Amino acid sequence: MRFFDTHTHLDYLAESLNLSISTLVENAQKYQVEKILVVSVFAKNFEKVTACANEKPENIVYGLGLHPLYIQEHCLSDLDLLENALSLKDPQCTAIGEIGLEKAVAKVSSPELWKKQCSFLEAQLSFAQKFKLPVNLHSRKSHDQLFVFLKKAQLSKNGVVHGFAGSYEQAKRFVDLGYKIGVGGTITYQRANKTREAIRKLPLNSLLLETDSPDMPVFGFQGQPNRPERLIEIFSSLCQLRHESPTVIAETIWQNSEGLFS
C-alpha cells in the first residue's frame, strides 16, 4: 500500500520538533506515506514551503495560499505576491492552498473581516482558474457559504474541502460539484458520529486522506504534534467505516490524490 498525505504544514512541524524535512519524510515512509502536500498560510512562508519541496522533490509537492484564519494580517500586496509566485509555474507547486472561509472564530468573522475573507477567497479562486491549479480549501462553519463561491467559480481543476467535519448532505453537495473531501483525524474519534457517517456513505472516489500536521491530532495522540506517519491511523479508522477491502480503499485514494495533486 502507498499513501499521500494531502494536507500538511510540514514547515511548522519541522520547527516544532526541531527535525529536518528529510527526517520527517523518512519517518513517514516507514508507514508507506510516499507523498506529502505542504500548504502555506501566509505570504511570508511561501519561501519555506517551496524549500520543503525542493529538499525532497520526489516526495513533496506544495500549495501556496492565504489562510482565512489570518485575514487580519493579509494585505492586498500579498495577493500580488501570490500571483507572482504562481506565475513561475513551478512543477512542484500543484495547488492553491490553504484558502477558504472561517466562521468558527469570532475575531475574524466581524462584518468587515468577513467581507475581506470573501474578497480574498474570490481573488484566489480566480488565480486557480488562471493557472489551472486545484484548490485546498479550509471551511469551518462556512460550508454553505463556501459552496456558493465554488459553484460560481466553476473551476476547471476543482480541489478538496480539507479536514471535513460536517454532515453527509453538506459533503455530498461539494462532491456533486466535483470536489473531493479530505478525511482527517476527526474520524478516529467515536463521538464524531455525523462526520463518520458522512465518510462512510460518500463515494470512495471522492475521498482523500490527510493529517493537517502538526494540527488535528488523531485519537490516542491528543496533545502531541500530528505527523504524516499517523495517516495510517486515519486509514485504519476509514477501513472500519467502509465496506471495501483495505487494498481497494488504499489504491483508490492513492489514485484520487495523484490525480488531483501530482
Side-chain angles (χ1 to χ4, degrees), residues 142-152 173-174 177:
S142 58
H143 292 334
D144 293 341
Q145 295 89 341
L146 179 63
F147 176 83
V148 172
F149 279 100
L150 298 180
K151 187 175 182 180
K152 180 183 176 183
R173 290 181 79 199
F174 289 123
L177 204 57

Side-chain angles (χ1 to χ4, degrees), residues 64-75:
L64 299 179
L66 303 169
H67 196 301
L69 190 58
Y70 309 104
I71 195 65
Q72 290 169 293
E73 301 174 51
H74 302 324
C75 56

Side-chain angles (χ1 to χ4, degrees), residues 68-72 100-118 138-142 145:
L69 190 58
Y70 309 104
I71 195 65
Q72 290 169 293
L101 296 172
E102 171 63 64
K103 290 205 80 170
V105 178
K107 72 176 183 178
V108 298
S109 302
S110 66
E112 180 183 359
L113 289 176
W114 177 251
K115 184 178 179 180
K116 186 178 177 184
Q117 279 195 53
C118 293
H138 173 98
S139 180
R140 284 202 300 184
K141 297 190 181 298
S142 58
Q145 295 89 341

Side-chain angles (χ1 to χ4, degrees), residues 109-179:
S109 302
S110 66
E112 180 183 359
L113 289 176
W114 177 251
K115 184 178 179 180
K116 186 178 177 184
Q117 279 195 53
C118 293
S119 174
F120 270 64
L121 174 60
E122 279 192 311
Q124 293 179 96
L125 291 175
S126 73
F127 295 160
Q129 190 71 299
K130 178 179 178 179
F131 296 106
K132 301 293 186 287
L133 288 171
V135 287
N136 204 299
L137 296 156
H138 173 98
S139 180
R140 284 202 300 184
K141 297 190 181 298
S142 58
H143 292 334
D144 293 341
Q145 295 89 341
L146 179 63
F147 176 83
V148 172
F149 279 100
L150 298 180
K151 187 175 182 180
K152 180 183 176 183
Q154 296 187 349
L155 299 184
S156 56
K157 289 283 286 187
N158 294 337
V160 59
V161 180
H162 112 83
F164 183 80
S167 69
Y168 169 74
E169 290 73 21
Q170 288 172 318
K172 188 64 164 50
R173 290 181 79 199
F174 289 123
V175 170
D176 288 345
L177 204 57
Y179 286 79

Side-chain angles (χ1 to χ4, degrees), residues 187-190 192-200 237 241:
I187 69 161
T188 66
Y189 294 84
Q190 292 288 334
N193 294 319
K194 182 172 65 174
T195 301
R196 285 166 59 88
E197 179 65 8
I199 300 307
R200 184 185 69 79
S237 292
L241 295 174

